[in-house]
Amino acid sequence: MTQNPGITGTTEAVGDTDVAADTAVSADVGSVSHPIDPVDRVLSRAESRSGIHVFGAAQALQDQTTVSYGDTDGDQWDREERAALRRVPGLSTELEDVTEVEYRQLRLENVVLIGVYPQGSQEDAENSLRELAALSETAGAVVLDGVLQRRPHPDPATYIGRGKAAELRDLVAAVGADTVIADTELAPSQRRALEDVVKVKVIDRTTVILDIFSQHAKSREGKAQVELAQLEYLLPRLRGWGDSMSRQAGGQVGAGGAGMGSRGPGETKIELDRRRIRTKMAQLRKQLRDFAPAREAKRAERKRNTIPAVAIAGYTNAGKSSLLNRLTRAGVLVENALFATLDTSVRRSETVDGRVYTLTDTVGFVRNLPHQLVEAFRSTLEEVGDADVIVHVVDGSHPDPAAQLQTVRDVIGDVGAREVPEIVVFNKADLLDDDTRLVLRGLAPQALFVSSRTGEGVEELRARVEATLPLPAVEVRAVVPYDRGDLVSAVHEHGIILSEEHSAEGTVLHAHVPAILGGRLAPFSA
């Protein structure tokens, strides 16, 4: 198993720390005649654990020293509420002796990351593993170590092979991890076989993403979408547990003398669970269909009034919500975490000449996004497909912005929005130097550099969005009587006025207007 120095943690330091702590306790026991106070022993062990060298800072998360929330972000009550239930690191839930029972605390889960990559793609594998580390941190875990193995294809039995699985078991025991996370979607048989070897829980990338979504979903529709995705993922991964496989049975008296009804077989426990899951999935799909009319009614009203829609799409943690707050002072939740906001937020804005349009903050994307989430959140992604302009936000400070661009464009293509005009925006420009900007300019020559934190480039982005908005369909020349000021007001709000004069007969207008408004102005055509 290949351990890259930039990826893995120092496992020897962990072992030395634990040994040093145990030695210190033993020395104290030998030199002092009276027993050590249990509270002191627990606190000393907690302090020794806090010195464990963990996995390097995940590059998908922004450095906390650069994170700030300004006046444009609003009060951010949601972020304070979410942070109020953070778990406490450095405290163990395992009992080493009975005297610790009063001092247990809920602790962060300790995890080890594993990944497999073919020859020639080590850099991509490292970036993907660092992103998995950021996902794990967002889900509520401490990443102790990460290892990569180079092989042409993952092992169909244990993902990394029997021998490497044994090495992983020793690593897990050395660092004291209780979970292994694979940087892919594992088959049910691979997960079971790997758990049998390493003796701790094994999960995959999809499980982590689903866990984050379940924590951050707030609206009824968002919760239903996440639950549906979780059940679709769980259905083929159900496991039977011995005798519980045959709970229901029928027929005559069994051979064991257990009485009537014990002969079986009837409906097994796992079949019952599958039927209940399928029933629940059908209920959730119906519930999501019931949400559609209200969403369609809002969308139809905007179309009827020909209000252009601008969708803000991009990679997770690229700064979409911050950018929406900077443009509209929307007060949408902003947090330095992956998938911090899942529910779409629509805000009203106006152009310099008075036209109204909407800005929509959409769910973020990530590489290897589980197809269950793409299907469950298809109603949310429809906002991107129905938009008139897409503002594609990219984290300029990310180590692999090209992968971000490609990932988001792939998802945009999946929802049928490849023909929608796209404005690429490299966010977090305050963290970029001139050389980095030159490289990014090569990826997207027409892109804009914006900083949601300092406001750099925001006005330029606003002007680009206004210039890209579609023109109203009908050109009119009309003399509107002065008693029909409502029509003039409607032209100012929904059209583009080329010229406006006042005459004795009324207001002389030359403008581009929507088709419905053009019909209302037809009787006054000049």
Side-chain angles (χ1 to χ4, degrees), residues 114-131:
I114 59 173
V116 173
Y117 68 97
Q119 187 171 2
S121 61
Q122 179 175 348
E123 184 177 355
D124 291 341
E126 291 182 4
N127 287 330
S128 180
L129 205 65
R130 291 193 181 279
E131 184 174 274

Side-chain angles (χ1 to χ4, degrees), residues 444-466:
Q446 303 300 321
L448 301 177
F449 290 90
V450 172
S451 173
S452 302
R453 182 188 183 195
T454 64
E456 175 190 347
V458 171
E459 292 305 320
E460 185 180 358
L461 172 61
R462 196 190 305 272
R464 178 77 66 86
V465 169
E466 295 177 4

Side-chain angles (χ1 to χ4, degrees), residues 237-278:
R237 290 169 173 80
L238 289 178
R239 298 176 64 176
W241 299 97
D243 294 338
S244 67
M245 289 285 287
S246 185
R247 291 291 180 87
Q248 299 183 18
Q252 302 177 3
V253 178
M260 297 178 64
S262 62
R263 181 180 181 90
E267 187 177 31
T268 63
K269 177 67 165 57
I270 195 169
E271 289 171 347
L272 179 63
D273 291 340
R274 286 171 179 161
R275 179 163 57 83
R276 294 178 63 184
I277 288 178
R278 291 190 183 99

Side-chain angles (χ1 to χ4, degrees), residues 2-265:
T2 303
Q3 294 194 18
N4 187 284
I7 294 292
T8 60
T10 307
T11 57
E12 294 180 1
V14 178
D16 293 344
T17 302
D18 292 340
V19 171
D22 294 340
T23 302
V25 173
S26 300
D28 291 340
V29 172
S31 60
V32 181
S33 59
H34 59 274
I36 299 177
D37 183 67
V39 177
D40 293 337
R41 180 166 64 254
V42 173
L43 293 178
S44 66
R45 285 172 178 165
E47 184 178 357
S48 67
R49 291 190 187 98
S50 65
I52 292 177
H53 178 77
V54 300
F55 189 85
Q59 295 185 25
L61 294 182
Q62 190 176 341
D63 187 357
Q64 291 294 340
T65 59
T66 64
V67 177
S68 66
Y69 304 100
D71 297 336
T72 59
D73 291 324
D75 293 329
Q76 296 291 300
W77 299 113
D78 291 340
R79 180 164 52 85
E80 294 182 7
E81 178 184 358
R82 182 178 295 178
L85 294 177
R86 293 299 188 197
R87 285 175 282 185
V88 180
L91 297 175
S92 176
T93 55
E94 284 78 18
L95 296 180
E96 298 188 13
D97 57 51
V98 71
T99 59
E100 292 190 23
V101 70
E102 300 295 334
Y103 309 105
R104 289 181 294 171
Q105 296 289 337
L106 182 63
R107 68 165 175 79
L108 295 168
E109 199 166 357
N110 296 324
V111 301
V112 171
L113 312 180
I114 59 173
V116 173
Y117 68 97
Q119 187 171 2
S121 61
Q122 179 175 348
E123 184 177 355
D124 291 341
E126 291 182 4
N127 287 330
S128 180
L129 205 65
R130 291 193 181 279
E131 184 174 274
L132 181 61
L135 290 168
S136 303
E137 292 172 4
T138 303
V142 175
V143 182
L144 300 180
D145 211 337
V147 292
L148 289 170
Q149 182 191 15
R150 189 181 67 199
R151 58 184 300 154
H153 303 285
D155 181 65
T158 60
Y159 180 61
I160 56 176
R162 280 285 175 188
K164 302 305 179 185
E167 294 181 17
L168 177 63
R169 177 193 59 205
D170 297 338
L171 174 62
V172 167
V175 299
D178 42 38
T179 303
V180 172
I181 304 179
D183 191 21
T184 186
E185 184 170 324
L186 293 177
S189 59
Q190 288 177 318
R191 184 170 62 86
R192 288 196 298 268
L194 197 55
E195 281 183 347
D196 292 340
V197 177
V198 299
K199 306 302 181 184
V200 296
K201 179 175 65 176
V202 176
I203 59 177
D204 56 19
R205 186 188 186 95
T206 302
T207 306
V208 177
I209 295 176
L210 289 172
D211 184 78
I212 295 172
F213 272 56
S214 66
Q215 292 180 42
H216 293 177
K218 293 295 183 183
S219 67
R220 289 180 59 203
E221 184 175 10
K223 291 179 179 179
Q225 289 169 329
V226 172
E227 186 176 359
L228 177 60
Q230 288 176 318
L231 292 177
E232 287 181 346
Y233 177 77
L234 176 64
L235 184 59
R237 290 169 173 80
L238 289 178
R239 298 176 64 176
W241 299 97
D243 294 338
S244 67
M245 289 285 287
S246 185
R247 291 291 180 87
Q248 299 183 18
Q252 302 177 3
V253 178
M260 297 178 64
S262 62
R263 181 180 181 90

